[in-house]
Amino acid sequence: MHRMVILCGLAAFAVSAQDSWIEFRSGPFEVWSNGGERPARAALMRFEQFRHALGQIVGEEELETPVPLRLLVFRKQDRREPSNAILTGRDRFAAILTADAPPSDTLQRELARLLLESNTARMPAEWERGIEDLFSTVDVEGIRVTLGRPPATPNRDWARAHLLATRSEYYGKLRVILSNLRKGVPPEAASRNAVAKSPAEIEREVDAYFAARNFPTIQVSSRPLAERDFRLRPVEPAAARLALADLLLADSSAAYETMIREKVNMPEAHEGLGLLALREGRRDDARAHFAAASAAGSKSARCWLEYGRLEPDASKAIAALKRAAELNPKLAEPHFLMSQRETGAQQRTAALKKAAELAPRELIYWEALAKTYLEQNDFSNAARAWTAAEQAAANPADRARMREARAAIERQRLDHEAAERRRAAEEEERELARLKQEAVAELRAIEARANKGGSDSKPGEKVVPWWDGPKPQGRVRGTLKQVDCIGTQARLVIDGEDGKPIRLLVPDPAGVTILGGGQQALGCGPQKPRRIVVEYFPKRNPKLATAGEVATVEFQ
């Protein structure tokens, strides 16, 4: 869509650079003029009202561009050929206008396309073409915005957009349809939700409308602006020279080299020479120029981006790309390129996610993000990324490929879970085998020592009794007097050696260790006097009047 352009020779460049230039800014637009304030203010008003009207129709309040769009308004006597395309300069988009002349329909179509691509998710191609054609003929006079003038060659896509934008019964409904389509809602549901008609019904109506050839215009709401709202800024001669050199970017190496010799805008001159070298395939020269511009303190995100793309050292490349993203947070490409250089999975995923969010129409970003999620077995996020990739696809073949990838997610998830179960079972089996081998080896070692009459302890080593039971803090010695059965629990009543009774709770009889010989059953009710030692965990239970919970019972 955006093209470089050769305007004229360097002599004309030198003459124009000596003119007095002024600047006005608003939103993404910069208007530079050598023909005075009035045509510059009028041009900026026209483009701002265009931007506002497009946003109202498609349902986006503030349409922006990733880099500013500079509109150069030349005097009539300069006889500059107005642009029919958005030009790509060193660090700006650009377009050429003639004072007091409206932009061409072709340029307005290109502007609509740029704003849609920079701000909205992809819509079906026929809807996007219709909106672009509809806005190619917008007429703006001050704050009066007129929509609906037929293009030189009307077509069905234009007629569909014209019908839904101008008919009173569809007032405000077109933006609802477009919003639904951008969210990936199927066309059938998008149409019925907005206008209670199927796509087929709308298309039949479009056929009749197109055949009738009766296309009215309407006034659309304008932005409350006055030309005096734009603040005048003088343009330095060096900046004017640089802007005109950028217009000559396809054939202006001499202009940039002159700037370097004269120490005028040195970083920018190196940027321009770097872009020229890059387009001619001289990658080493391009990298050298971008490195020189970066070292000189370049403020151009494009310069740092291209340097990061060409730099072979990964750490230097990532630093350059991060600088590009800092200088222009709207750019998606630095994040995508960082994801290709990053080694950490989290950093790579974060960079890809940021790139995809900034450029929702870039299929390659969503596809790479989906694959990265799959590498991490994050199937839910991978599915969402494939869905966004399908929405970003510009042709049926790519959309079908994204749908297939999305449909395969469930199978991949099930395969992964089955593999994880197998891995866990194999790991458990290996652990059991290891434990068995260790137990057999230990048993054989004990047998060997026993057969030799040996001992497990070393000479002079103190033998410590082994105990792996609970380690209670309380201990009472006395006579068991009574066992109170309380549901599944029991309460022991013991007369201690100090003559004081103590009550202890047995919360789970199966969990109590009973030591000593003789009869060990604990029946409910009064007990035959038996000497007993009880270890317990101090834990008062006011409701049952117990002082702790029994851990071990030893009968004596």
Side-chain angles (χ1 to χ4, degrees), residues 19-49:
D19 293 340
S20 176
W21 288 82
I22 56 175
E23 177 190 19
F24 298 93
R25 297 180 188 175
S26 183
F29 304 123
E30 301 174 351
V31 175
W32 287 30
S33 173
N34 67 350
E37 293 185 32
R38 190 185 59 77
R41 291 182 185 275
L44 186 52
M45 174 66 81
R46 170 183 288 277
F47 276 72
E48 274 291 76
Q49 295 296 359

Side-chain angles (χ1 to χ4, degrees), residues 216-512:
T217 61
I218 61 167
Q219 303 297 314
V220 297
S221 62
S222 60
R223 184 176 177 183
L225 279 175
E227 291 184 1
R228 64 178 177 274
D229 294 334
F230 307 135
R231 185 166 66 88
L232 184 148
R233 304 165 186 260
V235 176
E236 294 293 330
R241 291 185 64 186
L242 180 63
L244 293 171
D246 289 343
L247 285 179
L248 295 167
L249 192 57
D251 189 28
S252 61
S253 60
Y256 288 120
E257 288 166 356
T258 299
M259 290 179 185
I260 291 175
R261 287 196 302 271
E262 297 176 355
K263 307 295 183 182
V264 177
N265 290 303
M266 184 179 291
E268 293 81 358
H270 276 297
E271 293 162 15
L273 289 173
L275 292 173
L276 288 168
L278 186 62
R279 192 167 62 251
E280 293 167 4
R282 296 182 286 112
R283 295 173 62 86
D284 289 341
D285 290 343
R287 185 173 69 251
H289 281 299
F290 291 134
S294 302
S298 171
K299 296 297 190 294
S300 168
R302 175 85 180 277
C303 169
W304 289 95
L305 170 62
E306 298 297 350
Y307 176 47
R309 195 198 305 271
L310 295 170
E311 174 56 54
D313 186 300
S315 60
K316 291 181 180 178
I318 290 176
L321 294 169
K322 287 182 177 178
R323 180 59 177 155
E326 290 171 359
L327 288 168
N328 189 347
K330 299 177 185 177
L331 292 180
E333 195 168 7
H335 300 280
F336 178 67
L337 294 174
M338 274 191 281
S339 74
Q340 296 179 315
R341 296 293 189 102
E342 291 282 7
T343 56
Q346 287 186 332
Q347 294 89 337
R348 189 167 64 253
T349 303
L352 277 172
K353 186 177 180 182
K354 184 67 173 178
E357 290 171 349
L358 287 169
R361 291 177 172 234
E362 290 295 335
L363 171 62
I364 187 175
Y365 297 171
W366 289 112
E367 191 171 4
L369 180 60
K371 291 178 179 178
T372 301
Y373 278 132
L374 284 178
E375 291 171 3
Q376 302 168 31
N377 298 314
D378 188 344
F379 298 101
S380 59
N381 276 324
R384 282 190 281 270
W386 284 126
T387 300
E390 180 185 349
Q391 181 70 8
N395 59 70
D398 282 339
R399 283 195 292 274
R401 186 163 58 86
M402 297 304 106
R403 277 196 300 272
E404 291 173 4
R406 168 67 180 84
I409 288 286
E410 183 62 17
R411 175 181 54 77
Q412 292 168 311
R413 182 184 65 80
L414 294 174
D415 289 347
H416 171 71
E417 291 177 353
E420 282 296 296
R421 286 193 295 271
R422 287 195 300 272
R423 185 197 60 75
E426 291 169 357
E427 181 67 25
E428 184 178 357
E429 189 174 334
R430 285 193 295 271
E431 180 65 13
L432 287 174
R434 184 185 66 80
L435 292 174
K436 288 178 181 179
Q437 290 174 355
E438 290 180 354
V440 170
E442 183 178 355
L443 179 61
R444 287 175 179 171
I446 293 172
E447 289 175 347
R449 287 194 296 271
N451 292 335
K452 293 178 180 179
S455 172
D456 288 344
S457 61
K458 298 177 181 179
E461 182 180 18
K462 182 181 179 181
V463 179
V464 179
W466 173 77
W467 173 247
D468 195 26
K471 306 295 189 298
Q473 294 82 36
R475 179 183 176 90
V476 60
R477 184 189 300 271
T479 303
L480 177 63
K481 302 290 290 183
Q482 183 164 324
V483 176
D484 299 326
C485 295
I486 309 170
T488 59
Q489 300 177 329
R491 179 173 56 193
L492 307 185
V493 181
I494 303 168
D495 282 344
E497 289 184 332
D498 59 359
K500 296 180 181 180
I502 185 172
R503 293 176 175 79
L504 299 174
L505 179 66
V506 181
D508 179 10
V512 174

